[in-house]
Amino acid sequence: GFPTDCVLCHSGASPTWDGATFDHTTFQLAGAHTTLDCAECHSGGVYQGLPAECVDCHSGDYQQAVNPNHTAAGFDTVCETCHRGSDSSWQDGQYPHSIYPLVAAHEAQPCNACHSNNVYQGLPSDCVDCHLSDYQQTDDPDHAAAGFPTDCELCHSGSSTTWDDANFDHSSFQLVGAHTTLECAQCHSSGIYQGLPSDCVDCHLSDYQQTNDPNHLAAGFPTNCEICHRASDLSWDQGSFDHTWFPINSGPHRNRECSECHPSGSNFALFTCTTSCHPRSETDPDHDEVQGYVYSSPACYSCHPNGEGDFGRSRMVRSHGSR
């Protein structure tokens, strides 16, 4: 029943009838369809009134598919849900896994890795439903022994390609400074993660007891580490004591070792100004007109509580008069 307008398919410039090209607008020929002979779809010479749904020609393919088994899985027969007309092979099909987006490690899995026994409907979607054995077998740290919750996504992102990409929200004790480089087991020994104390000295008592510059224990320093050490410090050497009794943050007193002024190393109420910093040969000439001048450390501090210069001058003037 083709029309007799030959030019619809045959060009006058073509030297043979085989150069015909039919405008197949009613069913676009793309992908694997472009290589077929007309008779493969139009058997019996029937060209009009044929159905155009994929399954009308591919019901046999649907029924014979085994990876996955479409019939057993109860897949619908709307082939274009997964297969595009432009595909060159059935293997190019891609299911829009919108109910559970497949990303990262899940993207590389074959269907039967999650859908065993051709079960595709009604499956649970929580991570632990598939990964309970991973949870139970994990030993770094041991999730089961530690009593970790089974909400995997608390630490593991669906976009991660490995379990090692986990990131625990350590809001109960902020991990900064040197703590950021520690393994979990260094603080959570014996797999204990709940109910641990959070004061610095609870973990660092031995550091406190072994410190000798200065000797914290002998000096009777308090065990409130944060008085001098910040959690963001990378080393104990970054500690900074608030030396409110005498300014040491500027001038010549800055960056001095504790032992230079406190030679006993234990009793910090004892101090010296004269031993290594202010020899008598320098201080006596500066005080030759100061009445009651005494060359001693307590006397130095009495007149110069804020160091030398204008900070101590007011007290000197009140005690001895202006020079």
Side-chain angles (χ1 to χ4, degrees):
F2 284 0
T4 56
D5 294 339
C6 305
V7 293
L8 291 176
C9 302
H10 303 277
S11 169
S14 178
T16 173
W17 293 112
D18 295 334
T21 301
F22 180 68
D23 184 9
H24 212 281
T25 54
T26 55
F27 188 94
Q28 293 294 328
L29 298 182
H33 292 103
T34 60
T35 62
L36 302 178
D37 287 329
C38 300
E40 292 189 60
C41 295
H42 298 281
S43 58
V46 179
Y47 285 84
Q48 296 184 21
L50 292 180
E53 298 293 338
C54 300
V55 73
D56 295 321
C57 286
H58 295 292
S59 177
D61 296 299
Y62 172 92
Q63 294 169 344
Q64 295 170 21
V66 294
N67 186 31
N69 189 313
H70 290 27
T71 304
F75 286 180
D76 61 48
T77 56
V78 183
C79 305
E80 58 267 30
T81 299
C82 303
H83 304 279
R84 297 165 299 179
S86 60
D87 290 343
S88 58
S89 167
W90 291 114
Q91 281 72 35
D92 293 335
Q94 191 168 15
Y95 180 70
H97 215 277
S98 56
I99 54 175
Y100 190 95
L102 299 182
V103 294
H106 292 105
E107 189 176 14
Q109 301 296 320
C111 300
N112 58 13
C114 297
H115 299 280
S116 57
N117 301 320
N118 280 308
V119 178
Y120 285 82
Q121 298 181 21
L123 292 180
S125 59
D126 289 335
C127 301
V128 72
D129 296 319
C130 286
H131 296 292
L132 179 60
S133 62
D134 296 299
Y135 172 92
Q136 294 170 333
Q137 295 171 20
T138 300
D139 57 9
D140 184 25
D142 188 321
H143 288 28
F148 284 1
T150 54
D151 296 336
C152 307
E153 59 270 23
L154 290 177
C155 303
H156 303 278
S157 169
S159 60
S160 296
T161 57
T162 172
W163 292 114
D164 296 333
D165 291 337
N167 187 15
F168 179 69
D169 180 11
H170 214 280
S171 55
S172 57
F173 187 94
Q174 293 296 325
L175 298 182
V176 295
H179 291 103
T180 60
T181 62
L182 301 179
E183 296 289 336
C184 301
Q186 289 182 254
C187 296
H188 299 280
S189 57
S190 303
I192 299 176
Y193 285 81
Q194 299 182 21
L196 293 180
S198 60
D199 289 335
C200 301
V201 73
D202 296 319
C203 286
H204 296 293
L205 180 60
S206 62
D207 295 299
Y208 170 92
Q209 294 171 334
Q210 295 171 21
T211 299
N212 54 25
D213 184 24
N215 189 315
H216 289 27
L217 189 62
F221 283 3
T223 55
N224 297 338
C225 307
E226 59 270 24
I227 291 177
C228 301
H229 304 279
R230 296 166 301 178
S232 60
D233 289 345
L234 297 175
S235 166
W236 292 113
D237 294 334
Q238 292 179 260
S240 179
F241 180 67
D242 184 9
H243 210 278
T244 54
W245 295 276
F246 190 82
I248 60 173
N249 297 322
S250 62
H253 296 103
R254 186 178 184 181
N255 296 327
R256 295 281 185 178
E257 294 291 335
C258 301
S259 59
E260 292 186 61
C261 297
H262 302 279
S264 72
S266 57
N267 186 353
F268 284 81
L270 300 178
F271 62 91
T272 177
C273 303
T274 60
T275 301
S276 59
C277 296
H278 301 288
R280 189 161 199 157
S281 60
E282 294 180 1
T283 58
D284 283 359
D286 289 339
H287 296 77
D288 56 357
E289 296 182 12
V290 177
Q291 185 179 3
Y293 161 71
V294 176
Y295 180 70
S296 70
S297 295
C300 294
Y301 180 68
S302 176
C303 291
H304 304 278
N306 297 314
E308 60 184 7
D310 292 338
F311 293 102
R313 180 175 293 278
S314 59
R315 180 175 292 190
M316 184 185 296
V317 170
R318 287 197 301 273
S319 300
H320 309 297
S322 175
R323 293 176 58 183

